[in-house]
Amino acid sequence: FYIFKVFFLFHLKVFTKLTQHNDSVNALVINENKNVFISGSAEGTINIWDLETGVVKRNLIEPDNTVYSLVINENKNELISG
């Protein structure tokens, strides 16, 4: 498992460690309300995380496609991956 960490911005303390990806995490994005963030990995998975609990709310799989970037379009409720 690959681990990435979420830090409190001003304290630089680790808030949580997240381990749901099996390959390197290439993209991270947080929503406007700052309650959900999304990670994309080289294995082709996109995880939608609850920022407060650190639990994956939803998992999207793009087999044979590495996720390099993520963008949230809040106006249209869209997630764009590339």
Side-chain angles (χ1 to χ4, degrees):
F1 287 104
Y2 282 72
I3 298 172
F4 63 98
K5 300 174 184 177
V6 178
F7 290 88
F8 287 112
L9 184 59
F10 297 105
H11 305 293
L12 294 180
K13 291 184 179 179
V14 175
F15 171 67
T16 189
K17 294 179 185 178
L18 306 168
T19 60
Q20 293 294 317
H21 289 289
N22 293 319
D23 208 335
S24 60
V25 174
N26 298 328
L28 294 171
V29 66
I30 191 166
N31 73 333
E32 192 173 286
N33 294 329
K34 297 177 177 53
N35 61 344
V36 169
F37 73 98
I38 303 164
S39 59
S41 75
E43 72 203 17
T45 59
I46 298 170
N47 288 335
I48 301 173
W49 303 81
D50 182 307
L51 190 54
E52 288 186 28
T53 65
V55 173
V56 174
K57 296 173 74 170
R58 187 156 185 206
N59 180 278
L60 309 169
I61 300 173
E62 295 191 32
D64 303 322
N65 290 313
T66 297
V67 178
Y68 293 105
S69 62
L70 295 167
V71 175
I72 297 174
N73 182 346
E74 297 276 351
N75 294 330
K76 293 186 176 183
N77 201 27
E78 296 175 331
L79 171 65
I80 302 162
S81 68

